[in-house]
């Protein structure tokens, strides 16, 4: 069966010329029964009408299509494209041309979509950044203004205000260095230097460092029973994983009550990967926050109202680091029960 919509201009001209010449030939049979005369007339009509139809199609339809092609490929045609326009394009069926134009439109749509989301991301980033930086800047400004307007004589008050201003400056430094870290991870400029190490040893080191940082709280750090041994060797960037563990352990302490319990677990679900989890028995995170918790600057109301000095970037950094290792990170949590953040790492090939 002939599928009419897939005719190329030459085929279209051929079929039309055939139809016209056969019709003329049949009409001619009424006037002359000399078969060779009928044949010559039919052949002449066929040849002339074929060339006329083909030329008309090329001139009025394919020239316009050529213009569309030039437009969608945007530039002045190169030599190769000229050849394409001259010889290949006229062979294409209208359906193929339609497919090409649709593919072009789809590509443009995707480009537009990506531009829109980059723009949205940029706008959100600026809003979040200015929101986060505003609080410490205004606080420092307030303390300095108060000092300058006469409180400098009061030594005790001066000491108090300067300490507070210094804490806010630390917060700004923290924020800027977190943003810098995210930017480097996103641009792929930060290389991942993988090495073999025992994950339980690193967890113990992180526990010790966080313990000394948080002397006021009586935190109970432990590795889950049965997970301390045998040693699990992983192949990853040790310093980056230290950063991930430190962020998670600090969060576990920060978002828990007076005597937090922080438990680390290490599993080997299969020969290729190790699963590391940091759990706490703290305030937990409401279910509606969980899908967005790894987004930059995202904080739950509890996280904000605590004014814990966090930037809302810690979990986003963890996600970036784990994804740079081509591994996955996840979170489970229940309000007033606790939170578990787990991530996988490549296990050392034994
Ligand atoms: P922050 O610097 O604010 O701690 P994070 O990205 O580390 O930023 O965490 C984002 C938010 O997730 C926090 O503000 C807090 O609301 C919530 N969160 C993170 N870890 C925990 C946890 N272990 N328990 C309860 N809430 C948590």
């Amino acid at each position: 069966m002939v599928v009419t919509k897939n005719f190329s201009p030459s085929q279209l001209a051929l079929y039309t010329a055939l139809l016209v010449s056969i019709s003329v030939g049949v009409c001619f049979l009424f006037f002359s029964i000399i078969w060779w005369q009928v044949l010559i007339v039919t052949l002449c009509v066929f040849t002339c009408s074929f060339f006329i139809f083909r030329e008309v199609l090329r001139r009025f339809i394919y020239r316009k299509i050529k213009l569309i092609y030039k437009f969608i490929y945007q530039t002045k045609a190169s030599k190769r494209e000229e050849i394409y326009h001259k010889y290949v394009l006229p062979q294409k069926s209208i359906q193929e041309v339609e497919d090409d134009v649709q593919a072009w439109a789809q590509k443009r749509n995707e480009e537009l979509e990506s531009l829109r989301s980059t723009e949205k991301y940029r706008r959100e980033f600026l809003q979040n950044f200015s929101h986060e930086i505003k609080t410490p800047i205004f606080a420092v400004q307030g303390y300095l203004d108060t000092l300058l307007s006469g409180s400098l004589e009061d030594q005790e008050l001066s000491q108090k205000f300067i300490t507070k201003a210094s804490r806010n400056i630390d917060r700004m430094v923290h924020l800027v260095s977190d943003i810098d870290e995210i930017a480097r991870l996103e641009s792929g400029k930060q290389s991942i230097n993988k090495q073999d190490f025992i994950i339980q040893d690193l967890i113990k080191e992180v526990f010790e460092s966080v313990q000394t940082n948080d002397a006021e709280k009586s935190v109970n750090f432990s590795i889950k029973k049965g997970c301390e041994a045998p040693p699990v060797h992983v192949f990853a960037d040790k310093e980056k994983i230290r950063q991930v563990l430190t962020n998670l352990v600090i969060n576990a302490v920060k978002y828990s009550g007076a005597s937090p319990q922080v438990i680390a677990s290490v599993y080997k679900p299969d020969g290729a990967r190790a699963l590391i989890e940091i759990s706490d028995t703290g305030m937990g995170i409401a279910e509606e926050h969980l899908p967005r918790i790894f987004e930059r600057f995202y904080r739950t109301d509890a996280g904000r109202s605590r004014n814990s000095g966090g930037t809302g970037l810690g979990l986003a950094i963890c996600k970036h680091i784990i994804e740079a290792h081509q591994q996955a990170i996840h979170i489970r949590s229940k309000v007033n029960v606790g939170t578990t953040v787990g991530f996988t790492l490549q296990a050392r090939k034994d």
Side-chain angles (χ1 to χ4, degrees):
M1 207 181 81
V2 182
V3 186
T4 45
K5 65 179 180 178
N6 279 338
F7 284 153
S8 73
S10 300
Q11 281 170 321
L12 206 59
L14 184 92
Y15 291 127
T16 320
L18 215 60
L19 212 69
V20 170
S21 55
I22 288 170
S23 311
V24 171
V26 171
C27 291
F28 205 71
L29 271 176
F30 291 111
F31 302 105
S32 165
I33 41 159
I34 306 162
W35 67 269
W36 59 268
Q37 281 181 351
V38 176
L39 195 70
I40 287 175
V41 169
T42 310
L43 271 176
C44 287
V45 171
F46 172 76
T47 315
C48 294
S49 53
F50 171 74
F51 285 111
I52 291 168
F53 286 140
R54 202 181 64 169
E55 206 44 36
V56 167
L57 281 172
R58 281 192 175 166
R59 254 175 213 279
F60 294 102
I61 299 179
Y62 268 75
R63 283 215 175 148
K64 293 225 159 61
I65 289 175
K66 199 166 120 179
L67 271 179
I68 293 175
Y69 266 86
K70 278 191 174 173
F71 171 71
I72 67 178
Y73 292 120
Q74 281 179 352
T75 48
K76 230 175 100 58
S78 65
K79 267 236 148 55
R80 250 176 80 193
E81 282 162 349
E82 275 298 349
I83 293 171
Y84 174 82
H85 288 149
K86 202 163 174 188
Y87 301 106
V88 183
L89 186 58
Q91 305 305 320
K92 286 200 174 205
S93 67
I94 298 286
Q95 180 65 42
E96 283 172 311
V97 172
E98 194 183 319
D99 290 346
D100 283 352
V101 173
Q102 264 173 10
W104 169 82
Q106 168 130 13
K107 205 168 145 224
R108 284 288 164 284
N109 252 344
E110 282 166 10
E111 277 172 16
L112 217 68
E113 216 34 63
S114 123
L115 277 175
R116 273 196 207 116
S117 66
T118 315
E119 174 57 22
K120 184 169 167 261
Y121 164 74
R122 200 185 61 84
R123 218 178 317 119
E124 278 179 6
F125 180 84
L126 279 176
Q127 271 169 2
N128 287 324
F129 179 71
S130 56
H131 177 80
E132 291 297 329
I133 202 104
K134 221 163 49 185
T135 319
I137 283 183
F138 288 166
V140 172
Q141 191 185 36
Y143 293 129
L144 294 182
D145 282 350
T146 320
L147 287 173
L148 287 174
S149 59
S151 305
L152 268 173
E153 283 94 62
D154 183 340
Q155 202 154 11
E156 201 182 322
L157 202 66
S158 307
Q159 180 74 32
K160 198 170 142 196
F161 280 7
I162 289 171
T163 312
K164 284 192 172 177
S166 160
R167 243 184 244 150
N168 277 285
I169 288 174
D170 284 349
R171 199 185 143 120
M172 280 192 266
V173 171
H174 188 177
L175 179 68
V176 170
S177 68
D178 273 2
I179 286 176
D180 185 46
E181 174 82 24
I182 285 211
R184 270 184 293 142
L185 282 163
E186 279 186 347
S187 68
K189 275 187 197 147
Q190 237 185 17
S191 52
I192 298 291
N193 301 312
K194 289 188 182 176
Q195 64 180 102
D196 264 328
F197 60 93
I198 297 170
I199 191 70
Q200 287 100 326
D201 291 348
L202 186 65
I203 292 173
K204 283 180 206 153
E205 285 174 31
V206 170
F207 278 167
E208 269 164 34
S209 70
V210 175
Q211 191 106 52
T212 45
N213 284 349
D214 209 307
E216 306 123 43
K217 268 189 177 180
S218 79
V219 192
N220 187 352
F221 292 110
S222 60
I223 295 185
K224 195 174 174 176
K225 273 204 174 70
C227 294
E228 315 97 325
V232 173
H233 290 259
V234 292
F235 188 57
D237 188 319
K238 192 172 176 183
E239 288 318 306
K240 298 249 168 350
I241 300 305
R242 185 193 299 279
Q243 196 180 347
V244 170
L245 285 169
T246 308
N247 281 351
L248 298 184
V249 172
I250 288 178
N251 276 354
V253 175
K254 208 160 58 175
Y255 300 109
S256 295
S259 39
Q261 297 252 358
V262 181
I263 303 163
S265 329
V266 179
Y267 307 98
K268 249 184 124 176
D270 54 53
R273 285 171 310 155
L275 170 67
I276 299 102
E277 291 191 334
I278 303 292
S279 306
D280 63 64
T281 50
M283 61 168 71
I285 303 168
E287 210 181 320
E288 72 260 26
H289 296 296
L290 292 177
R292 302 192 57 194
I293 207 75
F294 289 105
E295 285 178 20
R296 304 167 196 80
F297 297 111
Y298 192 83
R299 282 194 280 168
T300 63
D301 297 338
R304 282 180 197 283
S305 61
R306 279 199 141 207
N307 199 14
S308 50
T311 57
L313 291 169
L315 287 180
I317 291 178
C318 293
K319 187 167 189 275
H320 273 297
I321 293 178
I322 297 302
E323 285 179 352
H325 282 78
Q326 272 96 44
Q327 296 294 328
I329 187 163
H330 62 269
I331 190 161
R332 309 191 292 277
S333 191
K334 201 162 183 170
V335 174
N336 296 329
V337 175
T339 303
T340 296
V341 184
F343 61 91
T344 55
L345 285 180
Q346 183 186 341
R348 189 189 69 179
K349 288 181 190 78
D350 295 314

